[in-house]
Amino acid sequence: STFKENRITILTRTMVKEVGEKSFVVQNPDGSRSEIPYGLLVWATGIKSQPVVDKIRAQFAAAQTNHRGLLVDEFLRVKGANDVWALGDCALSGYAPLAQVAAQQGKWLSRNLNRLAAQNADTPDADLFALIENKCRPFKYSSQGSLAYIGSEKAIADLPFFNRNITAGGIATFWFWKSAYLSELFSLRNTTLVASDWIKRFFFGRDISRE
């Protein structure tokens, strides 16, 4: 496989417990600990909540009992609040903090708020926070699959197909990943810049001469 060819080992259900100057300690699935030496350590463990999220959580401390983010209900309403919605990485909605989830949450919330505002145009003081529960269906995430680039011009994909998932990998999947990536960019300018950068790298290699 690509991982074996590049001497990459993946450790699942393994926690990093300590990081030293030249090695780190992990806790294995059976509870034992192992020390692993390293030359370059790349730390990618997620993100910390923004100060504004901490302030909101502090204002509704009785209902907000998780320090990782804002607890929300099925309508993305912040628990304990009367007029605050949350989505994306700052919201603890029961779904994984993925861009795909955040994008669907944003579309769901904007669509429903716009619809409720239009329906209640003659009532400017309408309580949309309460109406959204009575007039709208709860948010439900629909997975569109997962794509990941794994190096060496290869990618892997796990895509839903009717009632099951299809798993694929290799160069063809790599080009599918590129096309999917470009389709998700927000503007023609960004799409053009990214595509031109890929073309330059294909012909001239990656530029690592500048900081």
Side-chain angles (χ1 to χ4, degrees):
S1 67
T2 300
F3 288 158
K4 288 183 178 180
E5 292 173 0
N6 291 278
R7 294 186 292 178
I8 297 174
T9 302
I10 297 179
L11 303 178
T12 60
R13 295 163 50 198
T14 303
M15 299 175 60
V16 176
K17 305 299 289 186
E18 300 176 22
V19 177
E21 185 177 349
K22 296 183 178 179
S23 64
F24 59 92
V25 177
V26 299
Q27 180 175 303
N28 300 308
D30 60 1
S32 63
R33 295 195 175 191
S34 304
E35 184 174 357
I36 301 176
Y38 71 86
L40 173 66
L41 177 66
V42 178
W43 190 260
T45 57
I47 59 175
K48 181 184 177 187
S49 61
Q50 296 294 317
V52 65
V53 174
D54 296 333
K55 291 180 180 179
I56 294 174
R57 187 170 59 246
Q59 291 182 17
F60 310 106
Q64 296 296 324
T65 56
N66 194 315
H67 69 279
R68 295 175 54 196
L70 298 172
L71 292 168
V72 299
D73 63 12
E74 63 269 33
F75 298 95
L76 305 182
R77 298 176 298 188
V78 174
K79 293 184 177 180
N82 294 320
D83 55 0
V84 183
W85 282 270
L87 54 85
D89 291 341
C90 73
L92 301 177
S93 59
Y95 298 108
L98 303 173
Q100 199 176 137
V101 175
Q104 291 185 27
Q105 287 175 334
K107 292 177 181 178
W108 178 90
L109 186 57
S110 63
R111 181 175 63 251
N112 284 299
L113 289 180
N114 287 333
R115 182 167 62 85
L116 289 174
Q119 292 174 351
N120 296 273
D122 297 332
T123 312
D125 295 330
D127 186 359
L128 300 186
F129 205 73
L131 284 174
I132 197 170
E133 181 175 359
N134 299 323
K135 301 292 185 178
C136 305
R137 294 181 179 179
F139 170 77
K140 186 176 181 181
Y141 169 62
S142 175
S143 175
Q144 304 301 307
S146 300
L147 290 167
Y149 175 60
I150 57 176
S152 301
E153 306 299 309
K154 295 179 182 178
I156 54 176
D158 183 31
L159 304 173
F161 185 74
F162 291 100
N163 294 324
R164 64 193 189 96
N165 282 24
I166 296 178
T167 302
I171 296 178
T173 308
F174 168 70
W175 287 105
F176 176 71
W177 170 80
K178 277 185 174 292
S179 63
Y181 187 95
L182 288 176
S183 69
E184 291 297 318
L185 296 179
F186 291 104
S187 67
L188 178 61
R189 177 180 179 275
N190 287 345
T191 302
T192 303
L193 288 173
V194 171
S196 63
D197 183 65
W198 286 349
I199 293 172
K200 285 189 296 183
R201 186 171 63 84
F202 178 80
F203 286 105
F204 304 109
R206 190 182 300 275
D207 184 5
I208 59 173
S209 61
R210 295 175 293 178
E211 294 182 356

